[in-house]
Amino acid sequence: MAPVIFGLPFSEFTWSKFGNANMWNNVYHLRRTKFIVYQLAMIFCVVSESLGTDALSRFVSQQKYIESHGGPGASEYNNDYVGVASYNIFAGIYVATIFGGAFFFDLIWPERHEDHGVRLGWKLSAIAGIFIHLASCIAMTVIVATKNAYVTGLSTADGNRLVMENGKTPLDYRHSARIVTSVVFGWIGWIFVIASTVILVVGKTHDEKVGPWSTHVREAKKNNIDVESNFVSGHASEKPLTNPLTGEQPEALHPNRPEAAHVHEPTRVQEASAETSNHHSFDSSAPPVNPAHV
């Protein structure tokens, strides 16, 4: 028997939950909208984080190269970008954790029970994500637009020569395509973080008041429509609830339908044969007629 952890039955964790029929149905409130917007927020933020991390590693590698080839005291100052890129990594991971978790739990356990405190925690965490990622976007934009790395302990000519030899990344942050793209993707991701937060807050409020189902599913449940076993192509069927043991419909759910009238087909009368129906038939018992006597 599959375990139940924190009220979540692991028996419901099946590969079919990741199929299109389950992921994109409209049984649950805002299900399609959630999954699209959540994924866009995660994708843009993670791409921004990844590009920034790549640029960060290039600066660290270039700094080591200058220190090893430039002699004593030679180094590269890039602490401002390294610091803000590190914070951008944290912001991207935070967004992916919050909305990735919301995506996963809504996909596998959409009808799970959550206390008011848990729902409040989801809302506050999502709202915090707006400000965490906004701070990252602002800091990245300011530093990339106004700052640059530089070589210390060497003349300008020697420093530029070592940078060119290493060829990892330019000292001016604005001239790095990776860094600029990281900033742009960060702002786009922040827009989708706001949208995801609004959807999450609205969804949690809806779940707490009327449950996780869409309006048409709630109406179907009120009319005793078995939307769970009779769900076809995203819409509830017209089949009423059935007895799970016998498969019969309960009498209470049967509308008073008149019985179909029995139509009696008329009985066919076999037609008489040609010999019996013909009154002018030839009598074989009569004596033959001589034509000469006629």
Side-chain angles (χ1 to χ4, degrees), residues 41-109:
M42 290 186 289
I43 288 171
F44 281 106
C45 291
V46 170
V47 169
S48 172
E49 166 204 335
S50 300
L51 291 172
T53 302
D54 180 67
L56 183 152
S57 64
R58 288 171 178 267
F59 273 116
V60 172
S61 176
Q62 183 169 270
Q63 179 180 346
K64 292 180 179 179
Y65 180 85
I66 292 174
E67 290 174 351
S68 62
H69 292 78
S75 184
E76 179 184 280
Y77 178 84
N78 48 35
N79 295 350
D80 47 4
Y81 178 77
V82 170
V84 74
S86 300
Y87 179 76
N88 189 47
I89 294 173
F90 163 73
I93 293 175
Y94 183 90
V95 170
T97 301
I98 298 301
F99 296 107
F103 175 92
F104 180 78
F105 285 110
D106 286 345
L107 178 65
I108 306 299
W109 298 285

Side-chain angles (χ1 to χ4, degrees), residues 252-279:
L253 301 180
H254 272 297
N256 294 325
R257 294 190 296 267
E259 295 184 358
H262 296 284
V263 179
H264 298 281
E265 295 184 359
T267 305
R268 290 188 175 183
V269 180
Q270 295 182 350
E271 296 180 357
S273 62
E275 293 183 357
T276 59
S277 62
N278 188 358
H279 298 288

Side-chain angles (χ1 to χ4, degrees), residues 29-43:
H29 183 64
L30 294 177
R31 185 176 183 85
R32 298 174 181 176
T33 306
K34 285 179 182 178
F35 290 169
I36 292 173
V37 179
Y38 287 177
Q39 290 186 84
L40 288 173
M42 290 186 289
I43 288 171

Side-chain angles (χ1 to χ4, degrees), residues 13 31 42 47 56 119 127 140 168 195 280:
F13 191 96
R31 185 176 183 85
M42 290 186 289
V47 169
L56 183 152
R119 291 194 175 97
I127 294 172
M140 286 278 290
K168 291 292 184 180
H280 303 283

Side-chain angles (χ1 to χ4, degrees), residues 116-134:
H116 175 74
V118 175
R119 291 194 175 97
L120 181 61
W122 278 109
K123 295 176 183 179
L124 294 178
S125 298
I127 294 172
I130 295 177
F131 298 100
I132 290 174
H133 200 70
L134 175 62

Side-chain angles (χ1 to χ4, degrees), residues 207-244:
D207 294 350
E208 191 168 13
K209 290 182 178 179
V210 296
W213 299 281
S214 299
T215 302
H216 73 279
V217 177
R218 294 199 311 273
E219 294 298 326
K221 286 180 175 290
K222 291 179 182 179
N223 296 327
N224 294 319
I225 301 297
D226 188 0
V227 293
E228 295 180 358
S229 62
N230 301 316
F231 184 82
V232 180
S233 301
H235 300 284
S237 70
E238 298 296 330
K239 181 181 177 182
L241 290 168
T242 57
N243 188 322

